[in-house]
Amino acid sequence: MLSRLSRPRALAVCALPLVVLLATAAFAPLPFSVAQPGMTANVLGDNQGTPVITISGAPVRDTSGQLRMTTIEATGPDAHVKLGDVLDGWFRTDQAIMPREAVYPSGESTKEIERHNTEQMKDSQDAATQAALAYLKLGEDDVEVTLKLADVGGPSAGLLFSLGIVDKLDGDGAGGDLTGGRTIAGTGTIDAGGTVGAVGGVALKTQAARRDGATVFLVPKDECSDAKSELPKGLRLVPVTTLKGAVSALVALEKGKGSVPGC
C-alpha cells in the first residue's frame, strides 16, 4: 500500500538532499584557482639587489624611466578553493576565478610545475635576447646578455626583456630613451623572430601596472578586449604584435610624432 505525503512534508523531503548538496559544496575543494594582481619589476633596474639585465661586449647606455614586467598571483596547485572563495572572487574586479588546469598543468606536482615554469622562463629569456640582438643587428658571439629575475616563472616577460635590452644598447636610436622618462609596463611572450604572443591574465596585470605607477601598458593585440575590461583610469593601452612594432610605438609616443596604436 502507498501512502501520500502532505505537500509541506514532500517539500521538506525533496529539499533535504539539496541542503546537503549545498553544504557539501560550501566546504569541498573546487577545481579553481583565485588570481589577483601580482608583483611588477623594472627590467632596466635591479630586482632583489641584482641587475635584471647585464650586458657585456658592447657599450651600455644609462637609462631613465622604467620598463616594468607584470605578473599575476594565483592560489597554489594544492590550495583548497571553496565555494565561498569562488563566489567572493566572482564579483570582485581585483580577482579572477580561473580553472586550475588553465593556471597549472593538470596531473603535475608542485615541484614539477615549478620546474616547468623555470624552464619556460629560461627559454623566454633566450628568445628575448635573440630577438633584441637580431633587431639591433648585433651578433650573439660579440654581445653577452644575462637576464635574472628572482621568484618569477613562465614566458610572459619576454617582450619586456627584449625592450630592456634594446633600450640599454640603443635607446630610441637617436640618443633618447625608449621610455621617454615614463613608467611603461606590459606583458607578452616573444619568440626569437620578434613575434609577440598572448599570455592571459591581462586585466589583472593592468591593475598591477597602474598600482606601481605605469601610465602606458603594452598588450598583445589579441588581448585588447580583455585588457579593456577592467582598465584602470590613467593607463593607456598600446597593442603590439612584434618587437619592431613595440619599439616604433614607444618612439612615436616619446617624440610625440607618428602613429601610436590603441585598443
Side-chain angles (χ1 to χ4, degrees), residues 158-195:
L159 170 62
L160 272 293
F161 282 142
S162 287
L163 288 171
I165 296 168
V166 171
D167 202 14
K168 281 182 171 290
L169 289 173
D170 193 52
D172 65 358
D177 296 304
L178 276 183
T179 63
R182 298 178 175 86
T183 296
I184 310 287
T187 190
T189 65
I190 201 163
D191 64 21
T195 299

Side-chain angles (χ1 to χ4, degrees), residues 26 45 73 76 78 86 95 124 147 150-151 198 200 202 220 224 233 253:
E73 294 177 356
D78 299 327
V86 173
Q95 288 187 349
S124 172
L147 301 173
D151 301 328
V202 293
C224 264
K233 185 178 180 180
L253 190 65

